[in-house]
Amino acid sequence: MPTTTKQDYYELLGVARKASAKDIRAAFRKLARKYHPDLNPGDKSSEEKFKQLQEAYDVLSDPKKRQMYDQHGFYSDNFPSAGPGQDTGDAGVNFDFGGFDFGGGAGTGGGNFRDLFSQFFRGGRGAEMEPEHEPGNDLEYQIEIDFWDAVRGAVKKLTITRLDSCETCKGTGAVGTPQTCSSCSGTGTIRQVAGKMRFNVPCTRCGGTGKLRTSCKTCGGEGRMRRTETIDVRIPAGVANGSRVRVPGKGNAGTLGASAGDLYLRVEVRPHPVFERRGNDLYTTVPVTVSEATLGAKIEVPTIDGRCIVRVPPGTNSGKTLRLREKGVASARHGARGDQYVEIQVVVPEPTDERVRNLMKELESVAPSDPRKDLFSKAGV
């Protein structure tokens, strides 16, 4: 008789009809933990639900069974599949194994008998129910720091929410001593019938281990719990805006004691009112007087190391850039420092004083000049 159900297998597992094998497996494992008889002792409805989930997963996890189910709306071990060597006209199913090698090698025109049945029972229900150790996922958070924290490095406090190891079961997902499985008497296998043949397959209750784990009720057998914590994060010197800082082992914990993922911090650096960073170079604008720009001068300019004396050459115009070697930011990777570029900005005095106006007129008469002399010829107008 074909396997039937009042509820669609896909609806039973809560997945779409086009769901991938990975999505189907994840949905089954989540529901199986919820309705497993060991976690619901004496609950007949949970036991029946668990059996229905097993039946649905047994079909949808096998590509050939799933194809038959999608095509006909049901699956049966005895469902006839017309082909050479098969008789589909009788109530029973007759098997013709011509062309198969029952030994270790390939037969004439066929494949290995052992390979045939390893594919037929590949990934049975019991094998899929065996607990898997899956590493934890990585997490990413954003952190905002100021300019000086980025240049010099700092230790910042950050509150994160992550899946951490369950304190009750220490991340194993189980408590107490494993018990011998009563379904398979500790052998790890049970007998399954396919047509007129019988095979030993992994036990569906213990997953082929022969032992029953008592799932931790605190974490539902997963070995981890969601927890919020505040951690100290070291920001390396020289970190740039938009870069990522890795904190090993502070991602989500893995299942059943597997290794945890990492935490990645995307750094956002607040701008500074004086220093503009481009790569590892710094850019600053420094004002000078007309006399300093005309006659030349030694002036102090700010750097990340403190004040620095810079010589302004005579006749310096606004916009001229002076380069200070290795006065930039040290690279977070190799430590080499960038440069600092100082842009000169000539500040013209306001002509509010009569003496200032007279001096400017006298300067114009002593050293007349036309800075726009060649402008129009270059412009072609």
Side-chain angles (χ1 to χ4, degrees), residues 33-234:
R33 284 196 294 267
K34 181 178 179 180
Y35 293 103
H36 198 284
D38 290 344
L39 294 178
N40 301 275
D43 189 342
K44 294 298 182 182
S45 61
S46 293
E47 184 177 353
E48 181 62 28
K49 182 74 171 181
F50 184 74
K51 291 179 180 179
Q52 293 176 1
L53 292 171
Q54 284 185 309
E55 179 181 312
Y57 182 67
D58 182 41
V59 173
L60 298 185
S61 63
D62 187 289
K64 294 182 180 179
K65 294 181 182 180
R66 183 179 181 182
Q67 182 181 8
M68 181 184 296
Y69 177 79
D70 289 342
Q71 184 177 357
H72 302 286
F74 67 91
Y75 170 77
S76 171
D77 288 333
N78 296 328
F79 191 87
S81 177
Q86 293 183 349
D87 181 3
T88 61
D90 298 328
V93 179
N94 299 319
F95 295 89
D96 180 4
F97 296 108
F100 283 95
D101 174 22
F102 285 77
T108 305
N112 185 285
F113 186 77
R114 181 181 302 170
D115 292 340
L116 170 67
F117 286 98
S118 66
Q119 294 178 8
F120 186 81
F121 289 104
R122 180 180 69 245
R125 286 182 299 189
E128 292 293 346
M129 289 179 59
E130 185 175 355
E132 297 180 5
H133 298 256
E134 297 180 356
N137 297 326
D138 295 332
L139 295 177
E140 182 170 308
Y141 276 74
Q142 181 172 305
I143 185 171
E144 186 180 68
I145 61 176
D146 63 28
F147 173 82
W148 291 111
D149 287 338
V151 170
R152 300 167 178 167
V155 176
K156 311 294 288 186
K157 289 190 178 296
L158 180 68
T159 300
I160 62 173
T161 300
R162 57 188 288 263
L163 291 174
D164 200 3
S165 295
C166 175
E167 295 181 354
T168 302
C169 63
K170 308 303 180 184
T172 63
V175 294
T177 304
Q179 303 296 318
T180 301
C181 177
S182 58
S183 298
C184 64
S185 300
T187 63
T189 60
I190 58 175
R191 178 163 294 183
Q192 188 175 82
V193 178
K196 297 182 179 180
M197 296 173 292
R198 297 178 180 178
F199 298 91
N200 287 331
V201 297
C203 176
T204 58
R205 189 177 187 190
C206 65
T209 62
K211 299 290 184 181
L212 291 178
R213 302 164 67 250
T214 302
S215 297
C216 174
K217 294 185 178 181
T218 303
C219 62
E222 191 173 342
R224 55 185 186 175
M225 296 286 292
R226 189 169 297 277
R227 183 175 293 114
T228 299
E229 62 178 311
T230 300
I231 61 175
D232 289 331
V233 178
R234 189 183 70 84

